Amino acid sequence: MQHLYVHVPFCRRRCSYCDFSIAVRKRIPAREYVTAVLSELDLVRAADPGAGDLETLYLGGGTPSLLPPDALATLLTSLLDAFSSTSSLDAVEVSLEANPEDVTPDNARAWRESGVNRVSLGAQSFDDRVLKWMHRPHDAARIGHAVRALRGAGIDNISLDLIFALPAELERDWARDLDLACSLLPAHLSLYGLTVEERTPLARWVSRGATSAPNDDRYAEEYLLAHRRLAACGYEFYEVSNAARDGHRSRHNSAYWSGRAYVGLGPAAHSFDGRARRWNTAAWEAYRRALAAGRSPVDSEEVLTDEQRELERVYLSLRTDTGVSLSAYPANRLTAWVSAGWATIAGGYVRLTPEGWLRLDALVGDLTALHDTV
């Protein structure tokens, strides 16, 4: 089965915390973009003509919802047709990242007719002051309008993104945001702690003292509160940052976390074949020019060693509720994790608790060191 990611880099503005590979544009060069991506697809298919059925297709960004509906339809139709052995569109999880202000009834219907059956909505907060601070173009009311428009178009598999651990001076009520998110009954929620990335507006604000850096204690407090509130609303955390109702786990992202191969198209997109990871040039214009000239947009490649693949396997497994097998590790050390409240052991697997997920990097390092001494 194939997992396909398509990066749509265009945004109207850069959010205060964002360091993603984006291209801020007043006019979206949709036709040029679709032409470039489909040219890259031809190169990928020529190199691997025997690719199997498509299982998931994820359009991320950037802001994919900025693509005009006709351009999006052309792109999706071409991508889905390229995997001709796929028997039914309904069998493919087709996800679209969208900003609330782009979700109109007409757009939602057009997306559904093009094959989109899952939308990841960039809500981030239900506080208008916070949204303004984040440089988000929507207000809180637009989030509910967007959810209703999507459901009216037949898209019920809706995920909401929220950001937590914001500076204390914003006085953001995280519990209120969680309650308002749950009241919309999304199928899925993704929660991300605020981090200060270089070359972002937030980094400049922190460097000149205009705002405070994220606080570790606040991060832990709000993360654990989210686990309690969402569990009470019927959501289960199946990955460190993701919670879902029964049957609504993200199949695409789960493929990443289980170490399966995937193909990436678009500027800055990554691909992984199980042995090597490749990534495209990040800048939109450089990407477009390379494909217009018939050249591959791949910028670089990393071939993973056996040790790197094992470390990645352990890290990804501990990020999820799958956990790792006990068989390769000393049981007495892992029981210390259980005693500390960082893990549970059942069925021959060790799985991290929410408190353990807060210490994920340190515990992975600990587990890897244990493995090396066995």
Side-chain angles (χ1 to χ4, degrees), residues 277-281 297-302:
R277 185 171 287 110
R278 292 172 294 279
W279 52 94
N280 288 344
T281 185
V298 172
D299 180 61
S300 193
E301 176 181 276
E302 175 189 24

PDB file of all heavy atoms in Angstrom, residues 277-281 297-302:
ATOM      1  N   ARG A 277      15.966   8.254   3.315  1.00  0.00           N
ATOM      2  CA  ARG A 277      15.034   9.378   3.361  1.00  0.00           C
ATOM      3  C   ARG A 277      15.535  10.450   2.395  1.00  0.00           C
ATOM      4  O   ARG A 277      16.709  10.810   2.404  1.00  0.00           O
ATOM      5  CB  ARG A 277      14.954   9.931   4.786  1.00  0.00           C
ATOM      6  CG  ARG A 277      13.934  11.026   4.961  1.00  0.00           C
ATOM      7  CD  ARG A 277      13.745  11.365   6.426  1.00  0.00           C
ATOM      8  NE  ARG A 277      13.004  10.323   7.119  1.00  0.00           N
ATOM      9  CZ  ARG A 277      13.532   9.499   8.012  1.00  0.00           C
ATOM     10  NH1 ARG A 277      14.810   9.582   8.318  1.00  0.00           N
ATOM     11  NH2 ARG A 277      12.797   8.579   8.610  1.00  0.00           N
ATOM     12  N   ARG A 278      14.628  10.927   1.550  1.00  0.00           N
ATOM     13  CA  ARG A 278      14.963  11.973   0.581  1.00  0.00           C
ATOM     14  C   ARG A 278      14.047  13.164   0.803  1.00  0.00           C
ATOM     15  O   ARG A 278      12.915  13.001   1.239  1.00  0.00           O
ATOM     16  CB  ARG A 278      14.772  11.457  -0.854  1.00  0.00           C
ATOM     17  CG  ARG A 278      15.759  10.389  -1.264  1.00  0.00           C
ATOM     18  CD  ARG A 278      15.403   9.785  -2.603  1.00  0.00           C
ATOM     19  NE  ARG A 278      14.144   9.048  -2.561  1.00  0.00           N
ATOM     20  CZ  ARG A 278      14.053   7.803  -2.094  1.00  0.00           C
ATOM     21  NH1 ARG A 278      15.126   7.168  -1.654  1.00  0.00           N
ATOM     22  NH2 ARG A 278      12.886   7.196  -2.078  1.00  0.00           N
ATOM     23  N   TRP A 279      14.556  14.362   0.489  1.00  0.00           N
ATOM     24  CA  TRP A 279      13.712  15.544   0.631  1.00  0.00           C
ATOM     25  C   TRP A 279      13.962  16.502  -0.521  1.00  0.00           C
ATOM     26  O   TRP A 279      15.062  16.603  -1.057  1.00  0.00           O
ATOM     27  CB  TRP A 279      13.927  16.231   1.972  1.00  0.00           C
ATOM     28  CG  TRP A 279      15.332  16.560   2.322  1.00  0.00           C
ATOM     29  CD1 TRP A 279      15.991  17.725   2.114  1.00  0.00           C
ATOM     30  CD2 TRP A 279      16.261  15.695   2.990  1.00  0.00           C
ATOM     31  NE1 TRP A 279      17.275  17.664   2.597  1.00  0.00           N
ATOM     32  CE2 TRP A 279      17.463  16.421   3.139  1.00  0.00           C
ATOM     33  CE3 TRP A 279      16.182  14.380   3.493  1.00  0.00           C
ATOM     34  CZ2 TRP A 279      18.588  15.882   3.759  1.00  0.00           C
ATOM     35  CZ3 TRP A 279      17.299  13.845   4.091  1.00  0.00           C
ATOM     36  CH2 TRP A 279      18.484  14.587   4.225  1.00  0.00           C
ATOM     37  N   ASN A 280      12.892  17.185  -0.889  1.00  0.00           N
ATOM     38  CA  ASN A 280      12.930  18.119  -2.015  1.00  0.00           C
ATOM     39  C   ASN A 280      13.467  19.479  -1.591  1.00  0.00           C
ATOM     40  O   ASN A 280      13.427  19.845  -0.410  1.00  0.00           O
ATOM     41  CB  ASN A 280      11.530  18.302  -2.600  1.00  0.00           C
ATOM     42  CG  ASN A 280      11.050  17.080  -3.361  1.00  0.00           C
ATOM     43  OD1 ASN A 280      11.843  16.202  -3.706  1.00  0.00           O
ATOM     44  ND2 ASN A 280       9.755  17.018  -3.626  1.00  0.00           N
ATOM     45  N   THR A 281      13.911  20.229  -2.583  1.00  0.00           N
ATOM     46  CA  THR A 281      14.295  21.608  -2.325  1.00  0.00           C
ATOM     47  C   THR A 281      13.103  22.353  -1.724  1.00  0.00           C
ATOM     48  O   THR A 281      11.953  22.112  -2.085  1.00  0.00           O
ATOM     49  CB  THR A 281      14.769  22.284  -3.637  1.00  0.00           C
ATOM     50  OG1 THR A 281      15.246  23.586  -3.339  1.00  0.00           O
ATOM     51  CG2 THR A 281      13.649  22.376  -4.653  1.00  0.00           C
ATOM     52  N   PRO A 297      13.487  17.446  -8.344  1.00  0.00           N
ATOM     53  CA  PRO A 297      13.564  18.473  -7.305  1.00  0.00           C
ATOM     54  C   PRO A 297      14.213  17.974  -6.016  1.00  0.00           C
ATOM     55  O   PRO A 297      14.287  18.723  -5.045  1.00  0.00           O
ATOM     56  CB  PRO A 297      12.095  18.810  -7.066  1.00  0.00           C
ATOM     57  CG  PRO A 297      11.389  17.510  -7.296  1.00  0.00           C
ATOM     58  CD  PRO A 297      12.154  16.819  -8.396  1.00  0.00           C
ATOM     59  N   VAL A 298      14.667  16.715  -5.994  1.00  0.00           N
ATOM     60  CA  VAL A 298      15.258  16.175  -4.771  1.00  0.00           C
ATOM     61  C   VAL A 298      16.509  16.959  -4.414  1.00  0.00           C
ATOM     62  O   VAL A 298      17.405  17.157  -5.243  1.00  0.00           O
ATOM     63  CB  VAL A 298      15.582  14.677  -4.926  1.00  0.00           C
ATOM     64  CG1 VAL A 298      16.374  14.166  -3.718  1.00  0.00           C
ATOM     65  CG2 VAL A 298      14.295  13.876  -5.082  1.00  0.00           C
ATOM     66  N   ASP A 299      16.573  17.424  -3.174  1.00  0.00           N
ATOM     67  CA  ASP A 299      17.697  18.232  -2.717  1.00  0.00           C
ATOM     68  C   ASP A 299      18.789  17.378  -2.096  1.00  0.00           C
ATOM     69  O   ASP A 299      19.974  17.620  -2.297  1.00  0.00           O
ATOM     70  CB  ASP A 299      17.199  19.264  -1.701  1.00  0.00           C
ATOM     71  CG  ASP A 299      18.310  20.152  -1.175  1.00  0.00           C
ATOM     72  OD1 ASP A 299      18.928  20.867  -1.980  1.00  0.00           O
ATOM     73  OD2 ASP A 299      18.565  20.127   0.048  1.00  0.00           O
ATOM     74  N   SER A 300      18.390  16.364  -1.317  1.00  0.00           N
ATOM     75  CA  SER A 300      19.394  15.547  -0.645  1.00  0.00           C
ATOM     76  C   SER A 300      18.782  14.218  -0.213  1.00  0.00           C
ATOM     77  O   SER A 300      17.557  14.035  -0.265  1.00  0.00           O
ATOM     78  CB  SER A 300      19.962  16.288   0.574  1.00  0.00           C
ATOM     79  OG  SER A 300      21.121  15.651   1.057  1.00  0.00           O
ATOM     80  N   GLU A 301      19.663  13.314   0.240  1.00  0.00           N
ATOM     81  CA  GLU A 301      19.238  11.976   0.650  1.00  0.00           C
ATOM     82  C   GLU A 301      20.084  11.526   1.829  1.00  0.00           C
ATOM     83  O   GLU A 301      21.269  11.841   1.917  1.00  0.00           O
ATOM     84  CB  GLU A 301      19.396  10.989  -0.506  1.00  0.00           C
ATOM     85  CG  GLU A 301      19.076   9.543  -0.142  1.00  0.00           C
ATOM     86  CD  GLU A 301      19.264   8.590  -1.321  1.00  0.00           C
ATOM     87  OE1 GLU A 301      18.336   8.481  -2.119  1.00  0.00           O
ATOM     88  OE2 GLU A 301      20.348   7.981  -1.408  1.00  0.00           O
ATOM     89  N   GLU A 302      19.457  10.804   2.748  1.00  0.00           N
ATOM     90  CA  GLU A 302      20.158  10.229   3.890  1.00  0.00           C
ATOM     91  C   GLU A 302      19.846   8.742   3.946  1.00  0.00           C
ATOM     92  O   GLU A 302      18.683   8.350   4.026  1.00  0.00           O
ATOM     93  CB  GLU A 302      19.696  10.900   5.189  1.00  0.00           C
ATOM     94  CG  GLU A 302      20.287  10.291   6.444  1.00  0.00           C
ATOM     95  CD  GLU A 302      19.655  10.831   7.717  1.00  0.00           C
ATOM     96  OE1 GLU A 302      18.493  11.297   7.649  1.00  0.00           O
ATOM     97  OE2 GLU A 302      20.315  10.766   8.769  1.00  0.00           O
TER      98      GLU A 302
END
